[in-house]
Amino acid sequence: MSRLPPLRLLTTFEAVARLGSMREAASALNVTQPAVTQALKALEDHVGAVLIDRSTRPARLTEPGQQLARATRDGLDLIADTIEEIRTSTGLEDQRLTVACTMGLATHWLMPRLSDFYARHPGYVVNVQVPPTDLPQMWPGTDLVLRYGRGTWTDGTTLRLFDETVCPVGRPALVESLLAKGEGLNAAPLIHVRTVEGRHWEGWTDYLARRELPKPRGPSHIFDNYVQAVQAALDGRGLMLGWRSITDTLVADGSLRSWPDGALDLGTAYFATVSPAAAKRPAVKAFVAWLGEGAENAP
């Protein structure tokens, strides 16, 4: 057995120790609470000692757990500090920035626009992180996060980019066929995106309820991310909820068609949150300024 457990187990344990709650740690790490419990059990098996006293409410660190918590925090801090030193010593600190966002926003909004940023700032490099969930966080090494919501984050300076709206979209032939038959959205084949972490995104049930429309009775296709859902819509398999940032370009070029009078303003928007440690770096300042210039024309 390796002397060191997988880093994933240590970062999970560090979050539990720091936040004092497995539920809070699960939320911060964008995973389920059972996943946190399993990671802690695997770490205890590796260490050969009980790290969490589960007989108390809330659970508390045992003495071995406190020892490992101090060592883990010191080790992760050392790794982060070393990475920053390497970046600075190699001259990359002022030229690179790391942006975290969802897969859908990266694929359909950010990446198609990056060529414009590079044309204006040819010396900079933008690294795009796409976490496995729809809740990108300000992890160590992340300079800026693009997030959907209501702008309530407190982990940096937040800039409102553009308001987000939602509208059913589908292949033009499918939309025309449904309208010609006089069928409403409740009878249409619908494409759903369902993930445990995606509960902050409104789905078809929310949309139909807000529009006071009947519950769906047509066939359903379920996917776990918006990139898959967009491809299914392009394949004509059904209607999807088209988020402005993801599908407006496809509607503009005729690949998809919006449902007539289907747009719904949810009172949400996309925001950019800048890490306090990165706010003064030239590359980050240039990127934020570029985002602000393009916000009025977004998406």
Side-chain angles (χ1 to χ4, degrees):
M1 177 186 292
S2 171
R3 293 180 60 198
L4 289 176
L7 182 60
R8 172 182 60 84
L9 303 186
L10 291 174
T11 54
T12 300
F13 173 71
E14 187 278 331
V16 173
R18 172 167 45 86
L19 298 172
S21 162
M22 284 184 273
R23 179 179 60 82
E24 294 293 334
S27 177
L29 296 172
N30 298 327
V31 298
T32 62
Q33 190 166 333
V36 171
T37 301
Q38 293 172 6
L40 292 176
K41 182 61 171 62
L43 183 60
E44 289 177 330
D45 291 343
H46 187 100
V47 174
V50 176
L51 303 174
I52 305 287
D53 182 1
R54 298 169 177 80
S55 66
T56 63
R57 291 292 181 273
R60 297 180 179 178
L61 296 177
T62 62
E63 184 174 345
Q66 294 175 9
Q67 290 179 287
L68 184 59
R70 289 192 293 269
T72 301
R73 182 66 269 161
D74 291 344
L76 292 176
D77 284 343
L78 178 59
I79 291 172
D81 290 344
T82 301
I83 290 174
E84 292 302 315
E85 291 175 4
I86 292 172
R87 284 176 170 173
T88 301
S89 65
T90 56
L92 296 178
E93 181 70 15
D94 292 336
Q95 299 177 6
R96 294 181 181 270
L97 67 144
T98 299
V99 181
C101 63
T102 65
M103 182 184 297
L105 190 72
T107 302
H108 296 285
W109 191 87
L110 179 59
M111 298 305 293
R113 290 167 168 76
L114 272 184
S115 59
D116 178 69
F117 176 76
Y118 286 135
R120 300 187 188 195
H121 306 281
Y124 294 143
V125 175
V126 180
N127 297 319
V128 180
Q129 291 181 340
V130 177
T133 74
D134 279 336
L135 295 171
Q137 299 292 319
M138 191 72 74
W139 294 108
T142 302
D143 300 310
L144 185 142
V145 183
L146 304 180
R147 290 184 283 208
Y148 163 81
R150 301 183 185 277
T152 57
W153 303 282
T154 59
D155 50 357
T157 302
T158 296
L159 166 72
R160 190 184 189 98
L161 295 180
F162 54 86
D163 295 337
E164 184 63 283
T165 56
V166 65
C167 182
V169 296
R171 289 294 291 178
L174 175 60
V175 174
E176 291 166 7
S177 174
L178 292 168
L179 293 174
K181 296 176 183 178
E183 295 182 343
L185 292 173
N186 63 310
L190 301 182
I191 296 171
H192 300 263
V193 179
R194 293 178 181 169
T195 65
V196 174
E197 297 84 4
R199 289 171 292 184
H200 64 301
W201 293 87
E202 285 79 356
W204 275 109
T205 300
D206 306 295
Y207 176 88
L208 294 173
R210 284 175 179 257
R211 298 300 299 266
E212 299 182 347
L213 296 173
K215 294 182 179 180
R217 55 182 172 80
S220 296
H221 304 277
I222 301 174
F223 300 92
D224 60 8
N225 67 65
Y226 280 91
V227 174
Q228 295 172 343
V230 169
Q231 188 58 55
L234 291 171
D235 291 342
R237 297 179 63 180
L239 302 180
M240 70 171 289
L241 282 180
W243 298 88
R244 180 185 177 206
S245 58
I246 295 175
T247 57
D248 261 20
T249 300
L250 295 171
V251 171
D253 68 18
S255 299
L256 296 175
R257 178 179 171 182
S258 298
W259 189 261
D261 300 319
L264 179 63
D265 186 350
L266 300 168
T268 55
Y270 259 98
F271 297 83
T273 301
V274 184
S275 165
K280 295 183 179 181
R281 289 178 44 222
V284 176
K285 291 172 67 175
F287 192 77
V288 171
W290 174 75
L291 287 173
E293 291 175 8
E296 293 184 358
N297 299 321

